[in-house]
Amino acid sequence: MKENDQENNNFRIAVPADYAGFFSHFYYAENKTAASITKTLLPTYQTILIFNFGTKVFLHSKQDTQVEISKCLVLGPIKQAFDYTLPANAEILVVTFKDDAFYRFFGNASIAEHVPMDPDDILNENCFSVLWNELNKIKDTNLRVDHILKFCDPYLRQQNTIAEQLTGFKDQTLNPIKSVASEISQTERNVQLIHKKHLGYSAKEFNRYLRFLKAIELIQDIVSADSKVDWFEIISECGYYDQSQLIHDFKHYINISPAKYLKFQQDICISKS
């Protein structure tokens, strides 16, 4: 999502090269209008840490549960879409963890996936409450990002060698689990367990998500070119068996049909690495 005006200001912030293995990007948003703004965030299979410096922000799941963000919450890996509402005078800064970085930071890969948690509850310390108070005194967004990065340094663990092979696997024509297992002479089951432990999801479910993401990106490219979407072309290009399988994935990830996605896609955001 890219918008930037005086009243509804939001933008991405690039991660310094030294931290590129831990975070994909930071995201800032504020609402200076009188009305609340509601958007939908598509699944990313990443974990996010949200700092709130303004009025309370609200997250809404497809199960119609609502969660307030008063200061700081962590959520992920994000496997299904959710809505978020920025009321008047809301201001948030979002940290997006990359690959297995959440495990390297907190010591586990998955929290309650659809229920945000206070990060202090995960570490059993009050350090994030202290961090929020420090960040709240800083008004420049880039300086806040610098402060977060310095805070993270002592917590970041060395990457597991097998997890490193899995996250760095680039050949889309091969099965990463089978390939890595063969290379290191371990069973596929053991590599699968390491994948799930460090990333918070299986390779199989992530491949399904990548297929869906490819469909979304193709649709966005077609819409941007003011062309008509050919659903059979989408099915063929993305490797779906038929239209019903495509519809099933849309319902699974964002709870709407492909046709409704076309209608409302301007209000739907995706956070790319």
Side-chain angles (χ1 to χ4, degrees):
M1 176 177 61
K2 285 189 177 181
E3 296 176 15
N4 199 344
D5 56 51
Q6 292 183 343
E7 295 187 330
N8 177 24
N9 186 29
N10 58 86
F11 51 86
R12 292 165 61 104
I13 303 167
V15 175
D18 289 347
Y19 295 89
F22 298 99
F23 310 105
S24 64
H25 66 281
F26 291 81
Y27 174 75
Y28 175 83
E30 63 179 346
N31 179 15
K32 294 182 179 180
T33 69
S36 294
I37 299 171
T38 297
K39 296 284 187 179
T40 299
L41 178 69
L42 290 184
T44 61
Y45 275 73
Q46 295 172 312
T47 299
I48 59 175
L49 174 61
I50 308 170
F51 292 99
N52 180 30
F53 304 107
T55 54
K56 289 182 179 179
V57 174
F58 299 93
L59 305 182
H60 319 272
S61 74
K62 72 175 187 178
Q63 290 83 17
D64 294 325
T65 57
Q66 178 172 287
V67 178
E68 293 182 353
I69 304 178
S70 56
K71 291 183 177 180
C72 183
L73 282 179
V74 62
L75 174 65
I78 301 172
K79 299 180 180 180
Q80 291 182 316
F82 66 84
D83 295 338
Y84 65 95
T85 299
L86 300 176
N89 299 314
E91 181 188 7
I92 61 172
L93 179 61
V94 181
V95 184
T96 306
F97 291 91
K98 184 177 181 181
D99 297 330
D100 63 338
F102 188 79
Y103 179 92
R104 295 166 68 183
F105 194 102
F106 287 97
N108 64 37
S110 183
I111 59 174
E113 293 170 1
H114 305 296
V115 181
M117 293 182 62
D118 188 321
D120 282 341
D121 292 340
I122 306 174
L123 286 180
N124 296 317
E125 301 177 34
N126 293 323
C127 55
F128 278 91
S129 299
V130 174
L131 176 61
W132 182 89
N133 284 315
E134 293 171 349
L135 293 172
N136 197 42
K137 297 174 184 176
I138 303 171
K139 300 308 175 184
D140 182 88
T141 303
N142 289 312
L143 292 179
R144 280 176 172 168
V145 169
D146 291 341
H147 195 80
I148 292 170
L149 294 175
K150 290 176 183 177
F151 168 85
C152 289
D153 274 335
Y155 293 93
L156 297 174
R157 299 171 175 86
Q158 185 70 28
Q159 189 174 30
N160 175 276
T161 55
I162 299 177
E164 183 177 7
Q165 288 177 278
L166 289 167
T167 56
F169 197 86
K170 302 300 182 184
D171 192 339
Q172 296 183 1
T173 65
L174 299 175
N175 182 312
I177 299 297
K178 289 184 178 180
S179 298
V180 172
S182 175
E183 184 177 339
I184 63 176
S185 301
Q186 291 199 24
T187 65
E188 291 181 26
R189 176 61 177 165
N190 188 45
V191 176
Q192 287 172 345
L193 290 174
I194 292 173
H195 191 290
K196 180 77 172 181
K197 177 182 177 182
H198 287 259
L199 279 78
Y201 47 81
S202 69
K204 182 178 180 180
E205 63 181 304
F206 187 62
N207 286 335
R208 178 187 177 186
Y209 162 71
L210 290 179
R211 181 182 63 186
F212 167 75
L213 181 60
K214 183 177 180 180
I216 289 290
E217 291 175 342
L218 283 175
I219 291 169
Q220 289 179 334
D221 289 343
I222 293 169
V223 170
S224 298
D226 291 325
S227 301
K228 185 177 180 180
V229 174
D230 183 336
W231 293 112
F232 292 103
E233 180 182 350
I234 299 294
I235 291 166
S236 175
E237 285 287 327
C238 299
Y240 285 98
Y241 293 121
D242 52 28
Q243 191 169 3
S244 64
Q245 191 183 31
L246 175 69
I247 293 171
H248 186 266
D249 268 11
F250 268 79
K251 291 288 184 70
H252 173 77
Y253 287 114
I254 58 178
N255 203 34
I256 58 175
S257 68
K260 283 190 176 180
Y261 172 77
L262 266 184
K263 185 177 180 180
F264 298 109
Q265 57 90 25
Q266 69 272 13
D267 293 323
I268 298 177
C269 315
I270 186 162
S271 174
K272 298 180 182 178
S273 300

